[in-house]
Amino acid sequence: MKKGRVRKASTERLGVVGILILNAAPDRARVAELLAEYDGIIVGQAELPCSERNMTLICVSIKVTTNVLGAFTGKLGLVDGVKVKSMLL
């Protein structure tokens, strides 16, 4: 990081969360519950079904602190049949 560009942990940043759900995932409804629980950080989202691979990709744009992002993605990662990747700008 360049000198003079210190970022506080409580600063909200823009980012993206990619959620890959196997269509056979037993807890698929849990993902919807978590998205509703964290709707305050969600700027927009798009769901892309990939029927040839039997999975669904949900792309979520977020405005969030690093602590809240960790809590959100951590809970998503615990759901069976779900993989999560995130990136903050």
Side-chain angles (χ1 to χ4, degrees):
M1 191 175 282
K2 292 184 179 181
K3 188 175 182 179
R5 291 187 52 163
V6 177
R7 195 179 296 257
K8 294 181 182 178
S10 63
T11 303
E12 286 189 334
R13 297 166 62 185
L14 292 174
V16 177
V17 176
I19 307 166
L20 186 63
I21 307 171
L22 300 177
N23 286 342
D27 296 333
R28 186 178 172 89
R30 179 68 178 134
V31 174
E33 291 172 6
L34 287 168
L35 289 170
E37 182 181 333
Y38 284 88
D39 69 340
I41 66 168
I42 296 174
V43 177
Q45 73 183 49
E47 186 170 323
L48 307 166
C50 301
S51 57
E52 67 276 358
R53 293 190 179 215
N54 199 28
M55 59 183 64
T56 301
L57 176 64
I58 300 175
C59 302
V60 183
S61 302
I62 54 171
K63 185 174 181 185
V64 67
T65 63
T66 55
N67 291 342
V68 175
L69 176 63
F72 178 49
T73 56
K75 289 178 184 178
L76 284 167
L78 293 175
V79 179
D80 286 338
V82 174
K83 294 188 180 198
V84 181
K85 296 292 181 184
S86 62
M87 177 183 73
L88 286 177
L89 303 171

